[in-house]
Amino acid sequence: MKITKVDVIQEKVPERASWRPILCRIYTDEGIYGDGEAALAYGIAAPAAFGMVRDLASLIIGMDPLDNEVIWDKLYKCTFWGQNGGPVVFAGISALDIALWDIKGKYFGVPVYKLLGGKRRDNLRTYASQLTYGWGPGTNHKCCKPEEYAENCKIAVAQGYDCVKLDFFNYDVDGTVWNGPGDAAKGEPMAGEIQTRLLSPYYIKVVEDRVAACREAVGPYVDIIMENHSFPDAQSAVQLGRALEKYNIFYFEEPNTPTPKTAKFISDKLSMPISHGERVYSRWQYAPYFENMSVQVIQPDLGNCGGITEGKKICDMAYTYDISVQAHVCASPLSTAAALHLECVIPNFVIHEHHQINLEEYNKRLCTVDFQPVNGKFKVPEGPGLGAEISEWALTEGVDMKVTVE
């Protein structure tokens, strides 16, 4: 079997212009095709990911799609920028790699998880992610007041989730001028001037009031993940962590810009688990965090860490250090499928992320399957390959840019 061509697509989403999923489909001479995704749909990197998938695709034409390890090493070693690459390079590799696993599963007539070693769980604990922006289709209300945070938590818990994630230090409270004229207005992100360096007691109390409201709303038996999007620095992260330890935080996610030394600095000073991963790419970049034990949970995104091939290696490495895994998932449903296949196999899985974006119709229509948990638990796809494909809508009406590499 040989790879004959690759379609690379950037989607357009009229409802949210900033949401630009990058998808690909690899075709073979035996009529089997596979779908993948470069998980950089948000931020400003989508067009770069589109170009990267296109450029990398030219290197795999004529190769056997079952040789995923051979192809992976070629994309890493023979592209110059692949070695020690960043999110764009690894997102490109990821998209093609996920599609290759989809082909492999279809070729052998089994779900991807069978090829990864077998499913050890079929009810994956799941958390409601990014409740700071609301919870439910069509919601885009940025929480400011503690009671708004609490209300979103109640909505998710009523749906069966026993874990929620929020960013408590992102938006202002009620129009208060934070640090003089020109600073954050109501509902606008706070500037780095506010979130970094040693914090005044005022800002710490703002965050604590929000966390306290959520803990009171959900009770003692629902976990709370404290998201930070890497906005604080090491000093402010330690201040926040110490103030909030009493609320039994499940883990403290991206407390600062990820580096092994600052992660170690934070971890050593706090009793709560620290997590990093969506901005860490490949086993080489993860290794220092494992070696110094500075993180307790890793969050690799299979759509930008190097795909399923690399993601499995990263998770296996983490297992040798007793580090847990929660795949980062903020992309189309294809990425959800890929994450579920890996998470059901690895022994160090802790919880699955179900992002607010996965509740939106404009994201659901990109895929042939709408993956949603029931009572806070996810079933694993059982169809051959990923168990889901790019939808006809995404292949036709949703196309913003498309190129075929032959």
Side-chain angles (χ1 to χ4, degrees):
M1 185 163 55
K2 302 296 182 184
I3 296 170
T4 56
K5 66 177 181 178
V6 181
D7 285 342
V8 187
I9 305 166
Q10 178 174 301
E11 296 292 328
K12 59 183 177 183
V13 178
E15 298 91 335
R16 184 178 174 183
S18 62
W19 187 248
R20 299 175 290 180
I22 306 301
L23 308 173
C24 73
R25 173 166 285 180
I26 298 177
Y27 296 86
T28 70
D29 58 357
E30 294 192 15
I32 301 174
Y33 58 81
D35 294 341
E37 178 170 17
L40 298 178
Y42 52 98
I44 61 170
F50 176 88
M52 183 57 67
V53 179
R54 178 198 61 204
D55 286 359
L56 293 175
S58 66
L59 302 178
I60 68 173
I61 303 301
M63 297 186 72
D64 186 337
L66 302 182
D67 293 343
N68 59 289
E69 291 281 358
V70 176
I71 291 174
W72 200 99
D73 284 348
K74 180 177 183 178
L75 298 179
Y76 182 73
K77 287 280 194 178
C78 300
T79 52
F80 192 86
W81 301 113
Q83 295 188 67
N84 206 34
V88 174
V89 169
F90 278 103
I93 294 173
S94 297
L96 297 173
D97 182 78
I98 291 169
L100 293 175
W101 279 95
D102 191 27
I103 289 173
K104 183 175 285 195
K106 291 173 179 175
Y107 179 82
F108 290 107
V110 296
V112 165
Y113 72 74
K114 281 288 187 185
L115 303 174
L116 293 173
K119 177 174 61 175
R120 66 177 69 222
R121 62 186 67 85
D122 193 33
N123 290 288
L124 278 69
R125 187 187 184 200
T126 302
Y127 71 85
S129 180
Q130 305 303 341
L131 273 65
T132 311
Y133 307 102
W135 188 250
T139 59
N140 189 26
H141 175 71
K142 301 168 183 176
C143 291
C144 298
K145 299 178 181 179
E147 55 266 33
E148 294 174 318
Y149 283 83
E151 182 58 32
N152 287 342
C153 290
K154 290 178 182 178
I155 294 171
V157 171
Q159 295 175 4
Y161 294 94
D162 64 0
C163 184
V164 295
K165 182 168 82 176
L166 307 94
D167 191 323
F168 296 100
F169 197 32
N170 195 355
Y171 299 105
D172 76 349
V173 182
D174 56 5
T176 301
V177 176
W178 285 86
N179 200 27
D183 278 355
K186 180 173 172 55
E188 292 299 318
M190 288 183 277
E193 285 290 309
I194 295 168
Q195 296 168 310
T196 59
R197 291 154 294 200
L198 291 173
L199 304 173
S200 73
Y202 174 78
Y203 301 120
I204 295 173
K205 187 173 188 307
V206 166
V207 176
E208 183 173 355
D209 286 348
R210 292 167 171 176
V211 175
C214 291
R215 174 53 70 201
E216 182 178 359
V218 303
Y221 302 115
V222 173
D223 279 317
I224 297 174
I225 299 170
M226 184 165 66
E227 166 73 280
N228 298 270
H229 290 107
S230 292
F231 290 143
D233 66 4
Q235 301 293 337
S236 56
V238 169
Q239 286 182 289
L240 292 171
R242 285 176 170 170
L244 301 172
E245 283 177 327
K246 61 188 175 185
Y247 296 102
N248 192 25
I249 300 299
F250 192 38
Y251 48 88
F252 192 4
E253 178 174 335
E254 283 201 310
N256 71 325
T257 299
T259 64
K261 288 186 177 180
T262 55
K264 179 67 171 171
F265 174 85
I266 296 168
S267 180
D268 283 349
K269 289 175 168 48
L270 302 177
S271 61
M272 64 179 67
I274 305 299
S275 69
H276 274 295
E278 68 187 84
R279 299 177 219 250
V280 184
Y281 318 102
S282 84
R283 75 201 93 149
W284 290 275
Q285 293 184 28
Y286 273 94
Y289 296 92
F290 299 158
E291 291 163 0
N292 72 2
M293 296 296 292
S294 58
V295 296
Q296 290 70 52
V297 180
I298 60 166
Q299 300 167 302
D301 192 316
L302 297 184
N304 61 42
C305 77
I308 295 173
T309 299
E310 187 70 358
K312 179 64 162 56
K313 292 182 173 70
I314 293 168
C315 295
D316 289 344
M317 287 173 62
Y319 185 52
T320 66
Y321 293 89
D322 293 338
I323 293 170
S324 297
V325 176
Q326 170 244 292
H328 177 260
V329 185
C330 181
S332 88
L334 278 178
S335 289
T336 298
L340 291 171
H341 281 289
L342 178 64
E343 289 173 330
C344 79
V345 170
I346 58 175
N348 45 341
F349 164 78
V350 63
I351 199 166
H352 175 87
E353 176 176 22
H354 196 53
H355 197 285
Q356 160 69 21
I357 199 71
N358 294 115
L359 307 179
E360 302 291 354
E361 291 300 324
Y362 61 73
N363 202 42
K364 294 179 182 181
R365 69 185 179 215
L366 298 173
C367 189
T368 57
V369 179
D370 175 18
F371 294 104
Q372 300 294 332
V374 176
N375 292 323
K377 297 289 193 298
F378 247 121
K379 291 290 187 182
V380 181
E382 292 293 346
L386 292 176
E389 295 181 350
I390 300 171
S391 69
E392 185 61 28
W393 186 92
L395 292 170
T396 54
E397 297 179 57
V399 175
D400 182 27
M401 295 191 294
K402 179 180 178 180
V403 64
T404 299
V405 179
E406 299 181 272

